[in-house]
Amino acid sequence: MMYIKKRLARIFVYSVLTITLFTSLFPIFWTISTSFKKRVDTFALPPKFFNFSPTMDNYKKLFSDPTFVKVYLNTILFTLGAAFLSICIGSLAAYALARNPRFRGKATFEILLILLRAMPGVVLIVPLYDLCSKLHLLGELPVLITIITVFNLPFTIWMLTPFFAAIPIELEEAGMVDGLSTWQIFRQIVMPLALPGISAAAIFLSLLTWNEFLVPVILGDQSTQTLPVLISGFISARTLDWGPMAAASSLAIIPIAVLTVFVQRKLVVGLSLGALKE
Amino acid sequence: MASVGKSSRAPLAFSLPAWILIIPIFIVPLCLGLYLSVFDKSLGFPQPINFVGLANFQSDVKNSNFYSAVKVTAQFMAIAVFIQIPIGIFLAMVLHSASKFASMFRSSLLIPMLLTPVAVALMWRFMFSSELGIINWVLDKLTLAQPDWLGNVNAAFFAVAIVDSWQSIPFVVLITLAGLAAMPVAPQEAAMIDGASTIQRIRYVTLPLLKPVLLVILLIRIIDSFKLFDIIFILTRGGPGTATQTLSMLDYNTAFTFLATSRAAAIGVVLALMSLPLYFLWKKVISVSS
């Protein structure tokens, strides 16, 4: 009796998991397979799951357009630039927060970070658009990178602070005895020890920036188009050409799907407002 | 002791670069938004700009689109809290009890969460196509009704909710799993020895112990459903009519479709005020969680 019950429970568990797995992966499979289909196969009924002859036409079409190559490079530049700037600004601030639990500006800083995380992006984008158009700063990649760095700052700081807090203060004191300046201690002792945390945060920030839509679509222009902006442009086109669309989407999601597998354990800290630790 | 004092004083300057960026990119736009909201600036009509006091707020209050947006936003929040969180907790518990392939299941479940929302929405849009989409093909095979997913007022709401759930439930699962993994085993064993059934164990042992984690999930799902934007932008742009127009979407459309900068700034001020209670909720959750 006990044995049958256990078996039934196992069957239940694994069927729930299989259904979940199918639901979460099918849309991705469908997009990628559509990206390799000829136009006639795209909307074939009954749908062609595997029985089609794959073609690279959609990808060729994308890459033959110089704009697309530029867009892909823009996205990489935007992502790396924002991750780098976030880590520079964020690790300095996170170190200050970790080492000064009661400093004066801390309460204000904390309020600002929470509000920044909680507020819809449009609230800031409307005035930022006004400001940037007055100052002729629209369509400048460095401006986009700086703005997205601030938008991502709550994630950066909440992810990094626990790593800095975990570094034993004795090591810093030893550095001080050796006559190192505060900056040297930070560069030579603290940063190398925080490296695992910093690399996890860098990957997470890259994912966030790669996916960002609102900032580049409003504050950017043709020259700073990123992949999400390009993809959103497809739907306003007169004819919906699903093949190249699926190919562009695949090129947006495949790098992330690969990275996810590597960073999943570290994500808990970043995603939970820093309120939960691994 | 002097050296310790030095070590804790010097790094204060380290938060300076963060402040230097926060001020022009967060604080100045908030103030500018407040300033714009009491004028009648419009990119469509570049006439001289006049001070109009609270007129923009008054016309918001009179505007039925505004109420509809509040309602739609609240509905998406309700989906997050009452549908996504329970499903996510259930899946996490099931996943937690599976020993074989657990990490494989976990990684593949997490991929949807991190994918570009714009690309995700586009691929679902493809699957939702009413004539030739795969979802309606399956519904047809099952002899079920095939809605015009993005063209029908009710179906469009559910389409957005489905796509948001597809991306957000994995988040609930991931955080719950972290909570389950960190949970002490002793109370579970004690309950088992006392002869508690699985349901009783979940109800009286697991869920109470998970409370801090669940509060964090609740807070973040409320915040993120409040901010929901990209998916709606690609799937419906707030339509058909105003069926999926959240407050964010209304603000966007006012500013960048109707070019009414000051009206949009006024909606922005209202949205900023609405995020204030989230700050207090956050403080409360942190005090319970730690």
Side-chain angles (χ1 to χ4, degrees), chain B residues 99-173:
Chain B
S99 47
K100 272 183 205 157
F101 315 115
S103 79
M104 188 193 82
F105 275 122
R106 193 164 90 150
S107 345
S108 13
L109 189 63
L110 297 183
I111 294 172
M113 177 175 74
L114 296 165
L115 297 186
T116 316
V118 171
V120 164
L122 192 73
M123 63 199 207
W124 279 91
R125 202 180 150 134
F126 177 55
M127 297 195 296
F128 278 131
S129 307
S130 55
E131 298 291 313
L132 301 158
I134 187 146
I135 292 175
N136 276 358
W137 177 76
V138 173
L139 292 177
D140 180 41
K141 289 283 153 216
L142 297 172
T143 64
L144 292 168
Q146 303 149 54
D148 176 8
W149 283 101
L150 303 175
N152 174 288
V153 170
N154 294 319
F157 178 82
F158 282 104
V160 173
I162 287 169
V163 180
D164 179 46
S165 302
W166 186 78
Q167 281 216 284
S168 302
I169 290 173
F171 164 78
V172 181
V173 175

Side-chain angles (χ1 to χ4, degrees), chain A residues 31-212:
Chain A
T31 306
I32 295 174
S33 83
T34 302
S35 75
F36 289 109
K37 280 178 189 168
K38 291 198 186 74
R39 216 183 163 124
V40 278
D41 294 331
T42 308
F43 275 119
L45 283 181
K48 298 194 169 175
F49 294 97
F50 296 104
N51 53 332
F52 61 91
S53 52
T55 167
M56 290 299 285
D57 286 356
N58 297 319
Y59 289 92
K60 275 185 201 144
K61 197 170 169 188
L62 275 184
F63 281 101
S64 67
D65 182 1
T67 340
F68 183 79
V69 181
K70 174 105 186 358
V71 166
Y72 214 76
L73 288 176
N74 272 344
T75 317
I76 293 171
L77 222 61
F78 180 54
T79 301
L80 294 181
F84 178 75
L85 188 61
S86 295
I87 293 298
C88 292
I89 308 277
S91 41
L92 286 167
Y95 178 55
L97 286 175
R99 281 297 182 250
N100 300 276
R102 284 189 300 275
F103 82 82
R104 255 202 224 167
K106 196 191 169 184
T108 327
F109 200 66
E110 201 181 72
I111 294 172
L112 290 178
L113 288 183
I114 298 169
L115 288 179
L116 198 50
R117 174 68 178 83
M119 246 177 234
V122 216
V123 174
L124 298 173
I125 284 291
V126 172
L128 274 172
Y129 179 81
D130 196 64
L131 197 62
C132 289
S133 67
K134 270 194 202 114
L135 302 172
H136 304 288
L137 292 172
L138 292 174
E140 302 283 345
L141 200 58
V143 173
L144 298 185
I145 289 173
T146 317
I147 289 173
I148 197 66
T149 298
V150 173
F151 280 24
N152 288 342
L153 205 59
F155 290 104
T156 319
I157 292 196
W158 289 325
M159 231 180 142
L160 287 175
T161 310
F163 286 101
F164 287 109
I167 295 170
I169 192 127
E170 289 78 15
L171 293 173
E172 293 171 45
E173 283 164 0
M176 227 171 290
V177 172
D178 290 343
L180 296 180
S181 70
T182 312
W183 176 248
Q184 284 169 321
I185 291 172
F186 179 70
R187 275 290 291 114
Q188 296 169 17
I189 300 176
V190 176
M191 280 302 262
L193 288 169
L195 209 58
I198 289 175
S199 50
I203 294 173
F204 184 63
L205 291 163
S206 303
L207 293 178
L208 286 180
T209 316
W210 182 269
N211 291 344
E212 175 62 29

